[in-house]
């Protein structure tokens, strides 16, 4: 590699055909369009007059970082000194190396790692704790811990006892009719959430992160204001998550959102859920198990849009087996509150007929979430937003303002807590740990719907696999779990494996039934890991299953139930 002064431009040529240029005062850019590395190589006209040691260090850094990056396809800006790390000079100029807005899963993970592992001076701001979020309330732990995954799963566990009591009779148990003390459930759940809120604050404190309570807004690219006080930071991370949104229909003010359904003062006798996504169906299952009459309304023919179509059809049948009242292809039009305090939900069916669901004590709108970017001065500072208000970022979580990053649901990429954790970790490694290759990976992310029955998936749906690979072998198994054979429980399970017929690679695994999330993550074959690592179907076939178990079905499906060739089912005239 050699440097050549070209007027105000410094050009560096690296063996292998890579050429980098800097226009005097600007950062280096790579003609081969490498990814941004979190470094800037300050190539100024003084480069050639710098000390030999500096020149050698700069060259070595540039060669190493750029060569690693030639396989990727976005703009690189490399820097010999870490652009977002800390130094004595930086700390003299800024209050903090990193200021994070939002103490949810992604923000806490990024802040902790930056401080604890890489020695950064870090602050986090978060609004005061409350069970229901608002423009002034939040709490350390964020949506997942305080108003989502954790309290929901606690209530899922509680609801499962209802079926266990019923099943026990077939196994010889005689038990009195069980009853629910709803107030005790709510109190125990809330006590646990209080504890977890404290745990997250303790995690930050133990990592040396300063916790500032209040709502954070941006002042400029390096300044955050929290309740009237301003703090400066070399790097700002936005991790404010998302919030539930309601349908704009008449009477929407009478409906509740997911935050509120987790905290009802009493168990409703009759409940409607608007929305066929995973949030709505999880709460429908919970309240159905606890004894409410539950009506689920959605506009699609099947629930869980985006999941495998065959799985959607199977689970829709199972929802009705469990006792849910399904109103598919129905559009909510208005909500009326009656003189006795009850609610009526009006819907329009596909054929145009009107239907009224009366006598409701609560209506949940599980109709989507939007990024939490309101009233933060983002656009004023220059941060580019998407059509839903999401913060646009590159593969390294950097926004259109170089000193500001964003992770988690506020970016509206893959809105799952483990993904926010992964993004927060990658951010800390890349910006403060000096790892130029630290990026979140979004392929083969396992997910689960904790409805009744639950569904878990990793990899592609059949529709996605057919479109991407063309030739696909489909293996399925539908069965009654052994536990249900003498219990009288009519619920069935379903498993599905999708294989690239050309390479024998497993490209999708799906399951409906008890414990499917645990099986998907760490079963006999460890499917989430196996699919991520490119396991072959013949390798699954060589695995000895654990008997008797539901999981063994995954390693005993030998013959495909369907073959797809050139994107068409074999034997199809389509």
């Amino acid at each position: 590699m050699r440097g050549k002064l070209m007027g105000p431009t410094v050009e560096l040529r690296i063996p292998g055909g890579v050429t980098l240029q800097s226009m005097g005062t600007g950062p280096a850019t790579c003609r081969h369009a490498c990814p941004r590395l979190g470094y800037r190589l300050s190539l100024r006209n003084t480069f050639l007059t710098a000390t030999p040691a500096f020149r050698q260090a700069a060259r070595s850094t540039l060669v190493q970082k750029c060569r690693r990056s030639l396989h990727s396809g976005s703009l690189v800006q490399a820097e010999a000194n870490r652009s977002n790390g800390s130094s004595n000079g930086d700390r003299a100029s800024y209050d903090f190396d990193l200021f994070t807005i939002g103490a949810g899963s992604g923000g806490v993970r990024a802040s902790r790692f930056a401080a604890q592992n890489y020695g950064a001076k870090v602050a986090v701001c978060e609004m005061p704790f409350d069970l229901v979020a608002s423009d002034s309330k939040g709490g350390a732990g964020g949506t997942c811990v305080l108003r989502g995954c954790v309290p929901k799963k606690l209530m899922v566990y509680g609801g499962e006892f209802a079926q266990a009591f019923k099943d026990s009779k077939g196994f010889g148990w005689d038990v009195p009719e069980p009853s629910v003390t709803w107030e005790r459930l709510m109190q125990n759940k809330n006590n646990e959430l209080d504890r977890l809120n404290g745990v997250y604050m303790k995690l930050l404190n133990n990592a040396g992160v300063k916790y500032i309570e209040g709502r954070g807004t941006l002042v400029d690219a390096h300044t955050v204001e929290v309740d009237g006080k301003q703090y400066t930071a070399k790097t700002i991370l936005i991790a404010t998550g998302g919030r539930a949104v309601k349908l704009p229909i008449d009477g929407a003010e009478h409906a509740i959102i997911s935050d509120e359904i987790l905290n009802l003062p009493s168990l409703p006798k009759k409940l409607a859920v608007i929305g066929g996504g995973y949030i709505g169906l999880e709460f429908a299952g919970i309240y159905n198990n606890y004894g409410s009459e539950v009506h689920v309304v959605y506009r699609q023919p099947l629930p869980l849009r985006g999941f495998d179509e065959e799985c959607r059809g199977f689970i829709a049948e199972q929802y009705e087996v469990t006792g849910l009242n399904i109103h598919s292809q129905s559009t909510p039009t208005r909500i009326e509150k009656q003189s006795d305090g009850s609610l009526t939900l009006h819907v329009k069916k596909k054929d145009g007929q009107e239907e009224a669901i009366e006598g409701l004590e609560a209506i949940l709108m599980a109709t989507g979430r939007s990024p939490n970017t309101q009233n933060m001065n983002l656009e004023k500072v220059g941060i580019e937003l998407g059509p839903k208000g999401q913060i646009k970022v590159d593969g390294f979580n950097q926004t259109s303002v170089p000193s500001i990053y964003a992770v988690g649901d506020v970016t509206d990429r893959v809105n799952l807590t483990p993904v926010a954790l992964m993004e927060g970790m990658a951010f800390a490694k890349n910006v403060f740990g000096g790892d130029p290759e630290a990026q979140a990976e979004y392929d083969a992310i396992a997910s689960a719907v904790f409805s009744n029955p639950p569904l878990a998936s990793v990899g592609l749906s059949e529709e996605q696999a057919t479109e991407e690979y063309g030739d696909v072998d489909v293996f399925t198994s539908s069965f009654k779990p052994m536990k249900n054979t003498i219990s009288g429980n009519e619920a069935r399970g379903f498993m599905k494996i999708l294989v690239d017929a050309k390479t024998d690679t497993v490209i999708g695994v799906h399951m409906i039934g008890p414990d499917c999330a645990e099986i998907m993550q760490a079963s006999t074959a460890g499917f989430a890991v196996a699919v991520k690592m490119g396991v072959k179907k013949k390798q699954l076939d060589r695995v000895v299953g654990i008997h008797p178990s539901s999981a063994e079905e995954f390693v005993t499906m030998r013959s495909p139930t369907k073959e797809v060739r050139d994107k068409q089912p074999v034997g199809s005239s389509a």
Side-chain angles (χ1 to χ4, degrees), residues 156-415:
V156 168
Y157 285 140
E160 288 173 347
F161 284 100
Q163 189 62 53
F165 291 137
K166 295 176 185 177
D167 291 347
S168 69
K169 295 178 182 179
F171 290 91
W173 291 91
D174 293 313
V175 295
E177 189 68 25
S179 61
V180 175
T181 303
W182 187 258
E183 295 78 9
R184 185 165 71 241
L185 168 65
M186 290 293 103
Q187 186 60 57
N188 289 342
K189 170 186 69 70
N190 293 344
N191 289 343
E192 175 63 6
L193 300 184
D194 286 337
R195 186 188 72 83
L196 291 173
N197 175 243
V199 166
Y200 269 73
M201 295 179 72
K202 187 176 181 180
L203 286 172
L204 290 167
N205 181 67
N206 289 346
V209 176
K210 182 179 178 61
Y211 187 84
I212 302 169
E213 191 168 81
R215 179 179 174 80
T217 58
L218 294 178
V219 177
D220 58 40
H222 293 281
T223 308
V224 176
E225 183 173 302
V226 183
D227 292 346
K229 185 173 181 179
Q230 294 188 356
Y231 303 88
T232 60
K234 186 168 189 183
T235 301
I236 295 171
L237 176 66
I238 301 173
T240 49
R243 62 173 63 191
V245 295
K246 292 183 178 181
L247 291 178
I249 62 174
D250 290 342
E253 68 274 12
H254 301 306
I256 59 176
I257 60 172
S258 54
D259 290 19
E260 296 161 313
I261 201 168
L262 285 164
N263 295 284
L264 293 181
S266 60
L267 178 65
K269 292 180 181 178
K270 189 173 181 180
L271 165 73
V273 175
I274 301 174
Y278 71 93
I279 294 176
L281 288 162
E282 287 174 341
F283 282 115
I286 289 168
Y287 279 86
N288 181 55
N289 280 342
Y290 273 108
S292 299
E293 177 186 327
V294 181
H295 294 256
V296 184
V297 177
Y298 49 83
R299 289 178 281 199
Q300 297 291 317
L302 294 171
L304 300 175
R305 182 173 58 181
F307 285 84
D308 181 271
E309 286 291 312
E310 189 173 14
C311 290
R312 294 175 71 194
F314 185 92
I315 204 167
E317 295 174 358
Q318 295 301 302
Y319 287 150
E320 295 195 272
V321 169
T322 66
L324 290 181
N325 298 280
I326 301 296
H327 303 260
S328 61
Q329 296 182 290
S330 299
T331 301
T333 57
R334 69 185 189 279
I335 298 171
E336 288 183 331
K337 187 167 187 177
Q338 307 302 325
S339 58
D340 62 357
S342 68
L343 301 172
T344 300
L345 174 62
H346 296 269
V347 302
K348 180 179 286 189
K349 308 292 287 185
K350 182 183 179 183
D351 60 8
Q353 295 293 313
E354 295 278 349
E355 179 183 10
I357 306 173
E358 301 175 323
L360 299 167
E361 294 184 18
I363 299 175
L364 168 66
M365 278 197 184
T367 48
R369 297 178 65 83
S370 65
N372 221 352
T373 54
Q374 301 86 354
N375 304 316
M376 292 182 64
N377 294 330
L378 301 184
E379 291 177 296
K380 180 181 176 182
V381 172
I383 293 177
E384 186 178 357
L385 303 180
K388 294 175 61 177
Q390 75 271 27
I391 297 176
K392 290 188 174 183
V393 294
D394 65 11
F396 294 85
N397 305 297
Q398 189 177 41
T399 73
S400 52
V401 178
S403 60
I404 301 177
Y405 294 71
V407 298
D409 289 9
V410 75
T411 65
D412 195 36
R413 289 175 285 182
V414 179
N415 296 338

Side-chain angles (χ1 to χ4, degrees), residues 81-99:
N81 298 317
R82 286 206 327 250
S83 65
N84 288 290
S86 61
S87 68
N88 291 335
D90 296 337
R91 290 184 174 173
S93 303
Y94 300 104
D95 298 325
F96 299 98
D97 301 320
L98 170 66
F99 195 106

Side-chain angles (χ1 to χ4, degrees), residues 106-177:
V108 168
R109 176 62 62 89
S111 300
R112 285 177 55 211
F113 267 75
Q116 205 164 26
N117 290 33
Y118 306 121
K121 185 179 181 182
V122 182
V124 173
C125 74
E126 177 57 72
M127 295 179 292
F129 170 51
D130 198 289
L131 294 172
V132 178
S134 68
D135 286 340
S136 59
K137 299 291 184 180
T143 297
C144 176
V145 173
L146 305 177
R147 291 171 290 277
C149 323
V150 172
K152 170 204 71 184
K153 192 67 183 291
L154 292 174
M155 294 179 70
V156 168
Y157 285 140
E160 288 173 347
F161 284 100
Q163 189 62 53
F165 291 137
K166 295 176 185 177
D167 291 347
S168 69
K169 295 178 182 179
F171 290 91
W173 291 91
D174 293 313
V175 295
E177 189 68 25

Side-chain angles (χ1 to χ4, degrees), residues 328-554:
S328 61
Q329 296 182 290
S330 299
T331 301
T333 57
R334 69 185 189 279
I335 298 171
E336 288 183 331
K337 187 167 187 177
Q338 307 302 325
S339 58
D340 62 357
S342 68
L343 301 172
T344 300
L345 174 62
H346 296 269
V347 302
K348 180 179 286 189
K349 308 292 287 185
K350 182 183 179 183
D351 60 8
Q353 295 293 313
E354 295 278 349
E355 179 183 10
I357 306 173
E358 301 175 323
L360 299 167
E361 294 184 18
I363 299 175
L364 168 66
M365 278 197 184
T367 48
R369 297 178 65 83
S370 65
N372 221 352
T373 54
Q374 301 86 354
N375 304 316
M376 292 182 64
N377 294 330
L378 301 184
E379 291 177 296
K380 180 181 176 182
V381 172
I383 293 177
E384 186 178 357
L385 303 180
K388 294 175 61 177
Q390 75 271 27
I391 297 176
K392 290 188 174 183
V393 294
D394 65 11
F396 294 85
N397 305 297
Q398 189 177 41
T399 73
S400 52
V401 178
S403 60
I404 301 177
Y405 294 71
V407 298
D409 289 9
V410 75
T411 65
D412 195 36
R413 289 175 285 182
V414 179
N415 296 338
L416 296 171
T417 296
V419 174
L421 294 172
M422 174 176 63
E423 290 169 353
M425 181 92 73
F427 160 80
K429 288 181 177 180
N430 176 248
V431 175
F432 294 96
D435 183 350
E437 298 175 351
Q439 280 186 281
E441 297 181 4
Y442 299 97
D443 62 307
I445 295 174
S447 63
V449 180
F450 293 102
S451 57
N452 182 29
L455 179 153
S457 297
V458 64
L460 303 179
S461 67
E462 182 180 336
E463 295 68 41
Q464 292 168 330
T466 298
E467 182 62 30
E468 184 170 339
Y469 289 89
D471 296 351
V472 179
D473 289 334
V474 182
F475 298 79
T476 62
S477 176
S478 174
F479 57 93
K480 178 176 280 193
M482 179 182 288
K483 186 178 180 180
N484 294 355
T485 55
I486 64 172
S487 68
N489 189 337
E490 294 299 319
R492 296 182 62 81
F494 179 75
M495 293 178 174
K496 185 171 188 175
I497 299 175
L498 301 165
V499 179
D500 173 14
K502 293 186 179 75
T503 65
D504 196 46
T505 302
V506 175
I507 53 179
V509 179
H510 309 271
M511 178 178 176
I512 296 168
D515 303 315
C516 61
E518 304 294 339
I519 291 171
M520 196 61 60
Q521 187 67 54
S523 68
T524 303
F527 290 106
V529 175
V531 173
K532 181 78 172 177
M533 300 304 293
V535 68
K536 306 293 185 181
K537 180 63 169 65
K538 63 183 178 183
Q539 292 173 317
L540 287 187
D541 293 343
R542 292 201 297 265
V543 173
V544 178
I546 296 175
H547 181 77
S549 68
S550 293
E552 69 177 311
E553 286 289 319
F554 274 126

